[in-house]
Amino acid sequence: MNFAWGALPLLSFFSDILPLLFSLIAIVFVLYLCYAFSRFMANRVNNVSKSGNIKILERVALTQDKGLVIIEVCKRYYLVGFANNNIEILKELDETELNIPGSLQKDTFLDVLNSTLKSRWDVKIGDAIFRRADKAEDSEDKKEKK
C-alpha cells in the first residue's frame, strides 16, 4: 500500500481527534440530561409539596437524624421536633414570636456564590488584622522586656 504523505495528517485527525471530540460531546450531552432531569424532579417535588394549608417555614438539623422544624398548619405555627422514630409538637408559636420575611425570595446560585466568597474574604481580612495586632503586641512586649 502506498500512502501519499499528505494523507497521513488527515488520517491521524480522523483516527485520533475525532473520537475524542465525539466523547467530549457525549459527556456534555449526558451532563445536560442530568441537569434537565434534576430541574424536572425539583419542580415536580415542589409542586407536589405546595399546599395551601401546610407549609414548612424553617428546618434545622441537630444531628443526622434529629432536628427542629417550624411549620404552619391552617394559619397556626408550631415548633416540631423530630427524631428517627418520633415526631413531637414542642410548642405552639404566636406569629409575633416568628421572624418571617414578607416575601421569601430564592437566591440565585450567583448570589449565594458571591455572598460565600465575600464572607470568606471577610474571614481572611479579619485573620490578617488579628495577625497584625498580635505582631504589634509581641513587638511591644519585646520592647518592654528590654
Side-chain angles (χ1 to χ4, degrees):
M1 285 194 183
N2 291 334
F3 288 107
W5 287 105
L8 284 179
L10 187 61
L11 182 64
S12 175
F13 173 78
F14 284 117
S15 66
D16 293 337
I17 297 174
L18 203 56
L20 181 66
L21 288 176
F22 283 138
S23 298
L24 183 64
I25 290 169
I27 290 171
V28 168
F29 181 69
V30 167
L31 288 175
Y32 176 76
L33 285 177
C34 290
Y35 169 75
F37 181 72
S38 66
R39 292 284 305 244
F40 169 74
M41 289 304 293
N43 287 337
R44 186 169 179 162
V45 168
N46 284 339
N47 288 338
V48 169
S49 67
K50 285 183 181 177
S51 172
N53 295 320
I54 300 173
K55 293 178 187 173
I56 296 176
L57 300 177
E58 194 169 339
R59 179 183 305 196
V60 176
L62 301 175
T63 62
Q64 187 174 3
D65 62 342
K66 296 178 180 117
L68 296 172
V69 179
I70 298 176
I71 61 172
E72 177 187 0
V73 179
C74 298
K75 306 289 183 187
R76 300 181 86 177
Y77 300 97
Y78 299 97
L79 177 63
V80 176
F82 64 91
N84 216 3
N85 295 322
N86 188 16
I87 298 173
E88 188 174 336
I89 295 176
L90 301 176
K91 182 179 178 183
E92 184 172 350
L93 302 171
D94 292 332
E95 193 169 348
T96 59
E97 293 176 317
L98 297 175
N99 183 13
I100 302 173
S103 64
L104 295 173
Q105 80 179 42
K106 294 184 179 182
D107 293 333
T108 63
F109 175 77
L110 189 59
D111 293 336
V112 173
L113 180 65
N114 286 335
S115 67
T116 303
L117 290 176
K118 182 180 180 296
S119 67
R120 290 196 68 191
W121 280 108
D122 291 344
V123 170
K124 289 179 183 177
I125 290 170
D127 288 345
I129 291 171
F130 286 124
R131 279 191 225 121
R132 282 190 220 139
D134 288 341
K135 287 180 183 177
E137 289 176 5
D138 290 342
S139 64
E140 289 175 7
D141 289 341
K142 289 179 183 177
K143 289 180 183 177
E144 289 178 6
K145 287 181 183 178
K146 289 183 182 179

